[in-house]
């Protein structure tokens, strides 16, 4: 990554480094997905290289996390081989004041939710633009669906007041395919999401839905990168 970073990117880097600094030697670490989390993975690799962090293993949430972990020398393991995850670091597309999240911009939210919810501590790393008063107001809600169930799931979501659309690929013909081989339906709620906990359960009870991007009551700590007076800074809540 470039050493000449603009203030916004520098704030993301600082947030990633702040999260990585909380990892202790001997830990099992959930490795999330996204641009800010990528800085955290890089920082973990740097700590290992310096020798001030030892004997950690990463559990990835996506192919992106696997590639980055290998690039920066972080040993990987799987949920089949561990009985705990001490700490998970992951990003988000929206964060509300109660630390509820919308995730899934990278179509990896199913694996992310498994890893993040399993962790003893889940640290969210975001830039200030991801903070919202109400979920669903700036970002569409991703829902992963088995391909054969796409049409009935979209009808069921519409009946709930959502406006579903199939996520299409960029620079490829056809829809986005998740790491599990499924489709992603992005859902707009015109007035936002009033009850994230209820909607999360309702969506997951629709036959054919694998998982949705609402993360309710999962985050332990949110680290926010901001640019104040032209200078990057990090705050937490």
């Amino acid at each position: 990554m470039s050493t000449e970073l603009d203030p916004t990117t520098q704030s993301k880097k600082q947030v990633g480094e702040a999260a990585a600094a909380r990892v202790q030697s001997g830990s099992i670490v959930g490795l999330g997905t996204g641009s800010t989390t990528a800085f955290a993975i890089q920082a973990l690799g740097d700590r290992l290289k310096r020798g001030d962090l030892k004997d950690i293993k990463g559990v990835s949430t996506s192919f992106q996390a696997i590639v980055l972990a290998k690039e920066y020398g972080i040993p990987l393991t799987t949920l089949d081989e561990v009985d705990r995850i001490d700490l998970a670091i992951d990003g988000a597309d929206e964060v509300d004041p109660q630390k509820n999240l919308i995730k899934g911009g990278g179509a990896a939210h199913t694996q992310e939710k498994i890893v993040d919810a399993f962790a003893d501590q889940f640290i969210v790393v975001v830039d200030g633009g991801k903070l919202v008063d109400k979920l669903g107001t700036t970002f569409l809600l991703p829902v992963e669906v088995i391909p054969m169930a796409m049409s009935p799931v979209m009808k069921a979501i519409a009946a709930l007041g959502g406006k579903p659309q199939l996520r299409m690929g960029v620079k490829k013909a056809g829809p986005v395919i998740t790491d599990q081989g499924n489709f992603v339906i992005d859902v707009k709620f015109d007035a936002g999401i009033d009850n994230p906990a209820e909607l999360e359960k309702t969506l997951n009870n629709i036959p054919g839905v694998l998982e949705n991007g609402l993360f309710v009551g999962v985050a332990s700590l949110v680290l926010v990168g901001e640019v104040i007076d032209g200078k990057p800074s990090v705050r937490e809540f």
Side-chain angles (χ1 to χ4, degrees):
M1 297 180 183
S2 174
T3 56
E4 297 295 328
L5 302 177
D6 62 84
T8 299
T9 305
Q10 184 63 37
S11 73
K12 289 185 176 185
K13 185 173 187 290
Q14 288 186 4
V15 168
E17 291 172 344
R22 293 173 178 266
V23 176
Q24 298 179 358
S25 293
S27 296
I28 307 297
V29 186
L31 303 177
T33 307
S35 59
T36 306
T37 312
F39 283 117
I41 295 174
Q42 180 183 13
L44 286 173
D46 291 342
R47 289 189 63 196
L48 285 171
K49 190 178 299 183
R50 291 195 304 267
D52 67 327
L53 185 65
K54 299 178 181 179
D55 300 323
I56 71 165
K57 291 184 178 179
V59 177
S60 69
T61 62
S62 65
F63 289 139
Q64 182 206 38
I66 291 173
V67 170
L68 289 172
K70 290 181 177 179
E71 180 179 350
Y72 295 117
I74 301 172
L76 290 172
T77 186
T78 68
L79 291 175
D80 290 333
E81 298 171 329
V82 299
D83 59 3
R84 75 187 194 283
I85 295 177
D86 297 293
L87 183 149
I89 302 171
D90 209 346
D93 299 298
E94 283 188 341
V95 183
D96 75 8
Q98 290 73 45
K99 301 179 190 157
N100 298 318
L101 320 173
I102 284 182
K103 291 176 51 57
H109 55 281
T110 295
Q111 292 182 192
E112 290 170 341
K113 189 177 287 190
I114 292 168
V115 171
D116 297 343
F118 188 47
D120 292 338
Q121 184 182 25
F122 170 31
I123 297 179
V124 181
V125 289
V126 292
D127 62 77
K130 304 297 177 64
L131 303 182
V132 297
D133 292 328
K134 185 179 184 182
L135 293 182
T137 52
T138 66
F139 200 84
L140 302 179
L141 174 62
V143 180
E144 182 168 352
V145 58
I146 295 170
M148 69 168 288
M150 181 187 69
S151 292
V153 167
M154 291 181 78
K155 291 176 182 177
I157 289 173
L160 295 172
K163 296 179 179 178
Q165 60 187 44
L166 180 64
R167 186 184 299 183
M168 302 303 290
V170 178
K171 296 184 179 179
K172 74 175 284 289
V176 167
I177 306 298
T178 70
D179 289 355
Q180 290 74 240
N182 297 316
F183 294 161
V184 175
I185 295 172
D186 289 316
V187 186
K188 178 177 176 58
F189 292 91
D190 287 335
I193 298 170
D194 293 319
N195 191 329
E198 179 180 336
L199 183 61
E200 181 180 25
K201 294 175 182 177
T202 298
L203 289 172
N204 281 355
N205 280 330
I206 298 173
V209 170
L210 181 60
E211 188 55 82
N212 70 81
L214 285 166
F215 285 52
V216 178
V218 180
S220 309
L221 175 71
V222 180
L223 298 179
V224 184
E226 297 174 312
V227 178
I228 300 175
D229 296 329
K231 297 181 179 180
S233 65
V234 177
R235 68 179 174 93
E236 63 180 66
F237 73 89

